[in-house]
Amino acid sequence: MSHETVYAIASGKGGVGKTTTTVNLGTALAEAGERVAVVDADLGMANLAGFVSLSPDSTTLHDVLSDGASIDDATYRITENIVAVPSGTSLDEYADTSPEGLSDVVAELRDQFDYVFLDVGAGVSHETVLPLGLADAVILVSTPEPAAVHDSKKTLELTERAGGKVAGLVLTRTRPESDVSYDEIAARLETPLLGTIPEDPGARESVYAGTPLVVYRPDGPAATAYKRLAADLAGIEIPTTSNESSATPDGDQPTDSISQSDDTDPDTGGSSASSTTDGDESGGREAAHDDVSSAITEAESDT
Ligand code: ADP
Ligand code: MG
């Protein structure tokens, strides 16, 4: 098995849980003994530092990308096994950055750490597309909300354009009482469902506490789901204390990140999903296709 160690955490729509996913996957693996770096590659809307109580008053990724500061100076230890590379938050600094240097940053971190997670900005601009091609694999993050799923399709297409590879989809803020089929969402995107992270008030509280959710509320439903996802990605055991906390009453939805590869086999091309679509849905598909084309045009004209 080829071992993927650099992951880009990406989404089409903002506010879907990318930073939460980056921080908690990273922390779960660090707690399991892996050496991890989390990188705020969301150069325009940096906020990872706040999730881990970091106030980078000096060197940030912006300095590395704008005036060649060393990556070591922009690397901050959070706990024993995990470091963060924060981005600056000032717009002036952002204007000076050249995202191309990110490939050197990734190469350097890849050598030093077991896992590197790039928290990528939403949307289709040049600096969001570039990291998609630098990572070994892209983890798409979306809520089950149709608008967010729709925008994931663009990120998927852009990943291919950037020469990258999509590992699969993580659906966040899922609700046990929902009758939405998470498998079907993944099948429509023709990508594996890597896991589902339930809605959990602890997620927001942990940000206020400046502590990763898997530390702040380790036995809560979202933390448990993140630990399972981390274990699956790395192919290691990560103990979770509650085995059924995220189980759904009807057992219909996948509640952990067991591979759904049978349901999302590329050979079937999501045909089961499209066979159930009505006029409304196919109209949505047309629109999605147009959006993807214009997204790519936009991304290209940006270069
Ligand atoms: P992004 O990085 O994609 O913009 P964030 O990780 O910052 O998204 O999450 C956006 C908001 O959603 C935050 O307020 C976060 O606390 C909240 N959130 C993320 N995941 C969950 C969850 N599983 N349950 C409840 N709230 C969540
Ligand atoms: Mg974010």
Side-chain angles (χ1 to χ4, degrees):
M1 184 182 86
S2 81
H3 190 45
E4 291 160 349
T5 66
V6 179
Y7 289 94
I9 312 294
S11 72
K13 192 172 183 289
V16 295
K18 283 183 305 296
T19 303
T20 305
T21 299
T22 303
V23 165
N24 286 291
L25 278 183
T27 306
L29 287 174
E31 285 192 321
E34 305 288 340
R35 290 165 307 151
V36 176
V38 292
V39 180
D40 199 343
D42 191 348
L43 298 175
M45 287 286 177
N47 69 347
L48 186 144
F51 278 60
V52 291
S53 290
L54 198 66
S55 29
D57 39 21
S58 46
T59 312
T60 69
L61 185 59
H62 279 175
D63 302 304
V64 178
L65 300 179
S66 62
D67 45 57
S70 92
I71 182 68
D72 282 348
D73 290 342
T75 302
Y76 298 80
R77 186 157 297 280
I78 306 173
T79 56
E80 199 186 338
N81 283 330
I82 183 167
V83 302
V85 180
S87 260
T89 49
S90 109
L91 280 176
D92 288 342
E93 288 172 13
Y94 170 58
D96 288 341
T97 58
S98 139
E100 281 71 21
L102 194 61
S103 60
D104 295 338
V105 168
V106 168
E108 228 173 302
L109 294 174
R110 181 195 287 282
D111 284 347
Q112 291 178 35
F113 295 91
D114 297 321
Y115 289 93
V116 179
F117 292 95
L118 309 173
D119 183 9
V120 183
V124 296
S125 63
H126 181 53
E127 73 265 21
T128 68
V129 175
L130 188 91
L132 305 177
L134 294 177
D136 296 334
V138 174
I139 296 175
L140 288 174
V141 178
S142 180
T143 64
E145 185 202 326
V149 173
H150 177 264
D151 287 355
S152 304
K153 188 78 187 165
K154 294 180 208 169
T155 308
L156 213 132
E157 302 259 355
L158 288 170
T159 300
E160 281 159 18
R161 299 285 298 220
K165 174 187 146 188
V166 173
L169 175 71
V170 172
L171 285 171
T172 58
R173 313 194 69 167
T174 57
R175 295 173 177 277
E177 72 275 15
S178 159
D179 56 6
V180 173
S181 163
Y182 304 133
D183 282 325
E184 196 171 312
I185 291 175
R188 249 188 288 148
L189 293 171
E190 294 175 34
T191 199
L193 183 62
L194 299 176
T196 60
I197 312 296
E199 174 75 24
D200 184 343
R204 192 168 258 114
E205 291 162 26
S206 73
V207 179
Y208 285 108
T211 308
L213 181 62
V214 293
V215 173
Y216 179 79
R217 192 160 296 162
D219 302 334
T224 301
Y226 275 123
K227 283 190 254 186
R228 287 192 182 140
L229 179 60
D232 281 359
L233 275 188
I236 59 174
E237 295 271 327
I238 297 181
T240 56
T241 40
S242 61
N243 283 322
E244 73 277 282
S245 69
S246 61
T248 53
D250 58 8
D252 228 346
Q253 303 298 345
T255 52
D256 70 38
S257 35
I258 299 300
S259 161
Q260 300 291 325
S261 53
D262 286 351
D263 296 344
T264 54
D265 184 15
D267 291 345
T268 62
S271 56
S272 62
S274 54
S275 66
T276 61
T277 56
D278 54 22
D280 210 297
E281 182 84 22
S282 53
R285 274 163 183 258
E286 293 267 21
H289 183 267
D290 287 344
D291 280 3
V292 169
S293 310
S294 58
I296 289 168
T297 312
E298 208 177 315
E300 281 175 347
S301 65
D302 224 58
T303 57

